[in-house]
Amino acid sequence: MTDSAAGQADPREEILAIVDEHDEVVGEAPRAEAYARGLRHRCVFIEVRDARGRLFVHRRTPTKLVFPSRYDMFVGGVVGAGESYDDAALREAQEELGVRGLPRPTPLFKFLYDDGAGHSWWSSLYEVRCDLPVDPQAEEVAWHDFVTDDELERRLGTWEWVPDGLAAYHRLRAFRAA
């Protein structure tokens, strides 16, 4: 199915692997059904830094299916059925940043995100350095910039962040502090 306005595949129809509490595949479902029924699936989060060590931060478009118009300090998204976390991380980073030839993101750790209100997914967190000029995907990114860690810290209390990205950010800080 295509979205007639954008001429692209409808993200609601993307087939996702449905997983259990141990990240074992138990079935498949279209993304819209997985979201509507609160089915646990897989996602990737990629921390992107430029050559100066600044972090890529963006605001999601208002048309996003989950957490529209919120800020995020990661690029990423769902892992398609039959796709590995590593392949999804590279695909999502290149798509959202609008680049080709990005180095393969480095995996850091996995965690189960569950907000207790029907949003639950296994999350694999990665990091990558992007020395290429970015041209973010207009359907995904409404605004973007590379910011210092201090600037990000100042914005944590003033901008409305995606809750799963914020959870991943706090886990990443704890991981690096250990």
Side-chain angles (χ1 to χ4, degrees):
M1 176 181 244
T2 59
D3 178 359
S4 58
Q8 297 184 12
D10 185 339
R12 297 171 297 184
E13 298 301 318
E14 182 178 7
I15 303 298
L16 308 182
I18 304 305
V19 296
D20 65 15
E21 66 275 8
H22 305 290
D23 196 21
E24 298 294 327
V25 176
V26 295
E28 294 181 353
R31 185 195 303 218
E33 180 183 343
Y35 288 1
R37 294 180 48 208
L39 302 175
R40 186 175 292 126
H41 52 283
R42 294 173 171 166
C43 288
V44 291
F45 294 78
I46 307 98
E47 179 191 65
V48 179
R49 291 190 181 267
D50 67 6
R52 294 173 38 198
R54 297 174 304 168
L55 182 66
F56 181 82
V57 174
H58 68 284
R59 189 177 69 248
R60 298 162 61 91
T61 59
T63 57
K64 294 292 288 177
L65 295 175
V66 176
F67 312 131
S69 299
R70 292 201 184 178
Y71 289 89
D72 202 346
M73 65 281 287
F74 298 98
V75 297
V78 296
V79 178
E83 185 177 35
S84 71
Y85 281 109
D86 290 350
D87 289 344
L90 180 59
R91 175 184 54 76
E92 286 285 352
Q94 290 188 141
E95 284 176 5
E96 285 193 35
L97 296 170
V99 301
R100 292 287 171 236
L102 191 68
R104 187 168 282 277
T106 302
L108 300 176
F109 60 87
K110 253 178 30 174
F111 69 97
L112 177 61
Y113 174 78
D114 191 332
D115 71 356
H119 294 115
S120 178
W121 39 83
W122 273 100
S123 308
S124 190
L125 204 141
Y126 293 78
E127 65 183 358
V128 70
R129 181 172 152 170
C130 180
D131 294 336
L132 304 165
V134 298
D135 184 20
Q137 194 175 30
E139 298 81 20
E140 304 264 341
V141 177
W143 169 91
H144 73 280
D145 200 2
F146 282 93
V147 302
T148 65
D149 289 308
D150 288 343
E151 178 66 16
L152 175 63
E153 285 294 321
R154 283 193 297 275
R155 298 296 183 195
L156 286 178
T158 60
W159 290 355
E160 191 172 7
W161 298 90
V162 296
D164 60 342
L166 196 54
Y169 174 75
H170 289 301
R171 287 176 184 261
L172 179 58
R173 286 183 57 200
F175 172 82
R176 288 189 170 140

